[in-house]
Amino acid sequence: MRILVTGSTGYIGSRLIPFLLGDGHVVLAAMRDDSKASSFAWNEDVTPVHFDITDHDSIDSAVSGADAVVYLVHSMDDGDFVKKDREAAQAVAAAAEKHGVGRIVYLSGHVPDDDIELSDHIRSRLQVEEVFLNSSVPATVLRAAIILGAGSTSFELVRKMVERLPVTPVPSWMVNKVQPIATTDVLQIIAAALKADPIAGSFDIGGTEVLTYPELLSRYADIAGLARPQFRVPLVPTPVVGRAVATITGMPPGTVISLVDSLHHDMVVRRGNAATDTFADAVGELVGIDESIRRSLETSTHDGTDAEGTTDPQSAADTDPSWAGGVVSLQDGDVVHSPTGKISRAMLHPKS
């Protein structure tokens, strides 16, 4: 198929493209700035396509040449991102109907029960889901919570909170359960959704374990060889926590505040895990939490772990955001701390 990958230069999109090429698809790499394509190893194997979610003409033009659309657009760090994302999804859905696109695959976030007051971050994801599911084009919605992999926003949040604080304050409300999933498993599930006949509906996807967010922080600390005692902090408002975490981590404030707000809810699979049910045959055995973290900290490259036989999609890439990366890495299984205070992205993911 000719597959339009929106958000192609983002975290998931840039790692997904080698999988799709390996499956024999023709990839239309949608991006606002076409010059960014040259930063990626797959540059010469795709067709860059101009795509700007604020420009409906560019959306229509990009979608017109596609058999399928993989939608990976999220605008958490923008002002009114709820409205912006909804309108963008509506434009994509309309263009897909107009041009006879066969399917849409959307990577969403975990959505808790309807009777729970939703954060803007989760409400935005749900609205985009509804736009696609109400379209005449078959839409497969994949709901993931925390994605574990170097460069992933949720993983980097864990990494920096553990590495940068000698003790970890835990607000009393931040003890809900999460079910993280490895980046490589997410990529395989998206690819599987494009191999099978179109399956309309929303599906939860999660990894092998359910634990609390503080327990996830402790697991990272153990693997990174860091002693990080935790203490409970009662009655701290969510906006205060979000701003403090953004300052500590040095990550985009809007994104961090949105993610912290979502921790008010359990983020676990509730309706059957599509990773071990609907797409189980294509995915195989899921990567566990400890292995996900270890592979995300590994500095050496791994041959043959993705569709093109290049590097492990769990590991860091030169094209990851400037705020990604930390001070701890694993080299041949041993914990190494950077004497300069940061493991460079070039060191983590050397170019061939």
Side-chain angles (χ1 to χ4, degrees), residues 183-230:
T183 298
T184 186
D185 289 332
V186 173
L187 301 176
Q188 290 191 72
I189 292 169
I190 296 173
L194 291 160
K195 290 178 184 177
D197 292 334
I199 306 175
S202 60
F203 302 87
D204 290 352
I205 59 174
T208 59
E209 295 182 61
V210 175
L211 69 173
T212 65
Y213 193 73
E215 288 171 343
L216 178 59
L217 295 173
S218 293
R219 294 284 279 277
Y220 181 94
D222 289 344
I223 293 170
L226 299 170
R228 292 294 186 263
Q230 298 179 355

Side-chain angles (χ1 to χ4, degrees), residues 13-332:
S14 62
R15 286 162 166 81
L16 174 65
I17 285 175
F19 281 73
L20 301 183
L21 293 172
D23 285 340
H25 298 298
V26 174
V27 175
L28 310 176
M31 59 193 78
R32 185 164 51 187
D33 181 359
D34 297 359
S35 66
K36 285 187 176 181
S38 61
S39 301
F40 297 89
W42 41 253
N43 174 34
E44 296 182 358
D45 299 318
V46 304
T47 301
V49 176
H50 179 62
F51 182 91
D52 185 339
I53 64 171
T54 65
D55 179 358
H56 289 190
D57 287 340
S58 77
I59 292 175
D60 185 83
S61 177
V63 172
S64 67
D67 300 312
V69 174
V70 177
Y71 196 74
L72 303 170
V73 174
H74 303 302
S75 310
M76 286 190 294
D77 203 38
D78 291 339
D80 189 0
F81 67 84
V82 177
K83 178 175 182 288
K84 183 177 180 180
D85 278 358
R86 182 181 65 251
E87 291 178 347
Q90 290 169 338
V92 169
E97 290 180 333
K98 173 183 174 182
H99 296 292
V101 170
R103 69 182 78 189
I104 296 171
V105 177
Y106 169 50
L107 180 62
S108 183
H110 177 80
V111 179
D113 295 331
D114 295 337
D115 59 348
I116 298 176
E117 183 178 353
L118 302 179
S119 66
D120 286 347
H121 163 55
I122 297 173
R123 183 162 58 91
S124 173
R125 300 296 180 267
L126 181 58
Q127 287 185 4
V128 172
E129 286 187 20
E130 291 170 343
V131 168
F132 289 141
L133 292 173
N134 289 331
S135 166
S136 63
V137 177
T140 303
V141 175
L142 303 169
R143 293 175 166 181
I146 292 175
I147 298 178
L148 293 180
S152 161
T153 304
S154 48
F155 175 81
E156 295 298 337
L157 199 60
V158 170
R159 186 208 303 256
K160 294 180 186 301
M161 282 295 293
V162 174
E163 290 188 357
R164 295 187 176 185
L165 294 175
V167 294
T168 307
V170 179
S172 55
W173 50 263
M174 200 184 288
V175 292
N176 292 297
K177 295 178 180 178
V178 296
Q179 189 170 356
I181 185 168
T183 298
T184 186
D185 289 332
V186 173
L187 301 176
Q188 290 191 72
I189 292 169
I190 296 173
L194 291 160
K195 290 178 184 177
D197 292 334
I199 306 175
S202 60
F203 302 87
D204 290 352
I205 59 174
T208 59
E209 295 182 61
V210 175
L211 69 173
T212 65
Y213 193 73
E215 288 171 343
L216 178 59
L217 295 173
S218 293
R219 294 284 279 277
Y220 181 94
D222 289 344
I223 293 170
L226 299 170
R228 292 294 186 263
Q230 298 179 355
F231 66 95
R232 294 289 176 87
V233 181
L235 304 176
V236 182
T238 305
V240 173
V241 175
R243 288 192 293 270
V245 172
T247 300
I248 292 166
T249 62
M251 295 169 63
T255 299
V256 171
I257 291 170
S258 296
L259 290 176
V260 168
D261 200 16
S262 68
L263 294 176
H264 276 285
H265 315 290
D266 284 338
M267 294 188 288
V268 300
V269 171
R270 295 157 303 139
R271 297 170 298 172
N273 191 348
T276 55
D277 182 7
T278 310
F279 303 107
D281 291 342
V283 176
E285 186 176 352
L286 297 176
V287 179
I289 290 176
D290 289 356
E291 183 184 348
S292 296
I293 295 173
R294 279 194 293 266
R295 285 168 56 178
S296 301
L297 296 177
E298 183 61 61
T299 59
S300 61
T301 58
H302 302 269
D303 291 336
T305 53
D306 67 11
E308 291 297 284
T310 54
T311 56
D312 186 350
Q314 292 291 132
S315 66
D318 292 331
T319 50
D320 288 340
S322 59
W323 42 258
V327 301
V328 178
S329 66
L330 296 181
Q331 297 180 13
D332 298 323

